[in-house]
Amino acid sequence: GFIYNECFSKATTIFPSGWNVSAMVDAKHWTLADLAASPPPPLDPNIMGVFNGPYPFGIDPLWSLSMNKLNFLNSFKMKMSVIFGVTHMTFGVLLSIFNFRHFKTPYKILLIFAPEIGRA
């Protein structure tokens, strides 16, 4: 539930963000008028102190301020759904080996398991 909530629902800010906006403001000498006049410019990770490292768990809370938040999160959710789905189905196919051994039908390992795992 915690992973689902963090990645697909309302995120909770547990750790500080890996991005430092104040370092960008200091390096570019922005004023409040500059920031109010136009949409916020993208953060530049090449400026020293702007990027401090990846977020330890889930999605960095700074994405909520991004102009392309919806595109990023939708793309992320689609990719994670595919990864979770393939992992879940592969795990189920691997568990079928125990059923084949328990019911003493080893030929099913070659006739059912091998083609199913070959497609994964």
Side-chain angles (χ1 to χ4, degrees), residues 59-78:
I59 308 269
D60 196 310
L62 201 65
W63 273 106
S64 64
L65 304 176
S66 175
M67 297 288 285
N68 64 343
K69 171 188 173 187
L70 187 61
N71 290 338
F72 169 75
L73 289 177
N74 283 343
S75 174
F76 178 80
K77 289 175 188 178
M78 285 188 289

Side-chain angles (χ1 to χ4, degrees), residues 17-26 43 48-52 62:
S17 174
W19 294 89
N20 186 357
V21 179
S22 62
M24 186 81 169
V25 171
D26 293 341
L43 295 174
M48 190 65 134
V50 172
F51 182 65
N52 299 322
L62 201 65

Side-chain angles (χ1 to χ4, degrees), residues 92-119:
V93 170
L94 291 173
L95 286 179
S96 70
I97 290 178
F98 295 107
N99 278 341
F100 300 149
R101 291 181 64 208
H102 175 74
F103 292 112
K104 296 178 178 41
T105 54
Y107 63 91
K108 288 186 178 181
I109 293 174
L110 291 174
L111 298 176
I112 296 175
F113 172 77
E116 284 180 351
I117 204 71
R119 285 186 228 144

Side-chain angles (χ1 to χ4, degrees), residues 11-54:
T12 53
T13 305
I14 299 171
F15 305 104
S17 174
W19 294 89
N20 186 357
V21 179
S22 62
M24 186 81 169
V25 171
D26 293 341
K28 298 287 185 173
H29 305 291
W30 289 334
T31 63
L32 289 176
D34 295 334
L35 295 174
S38 62
L43 295 174
D44 185 2
N46 294 323
I47 296 175
M48 190 65 134
V50 172
F51 182 65
N52 299 322

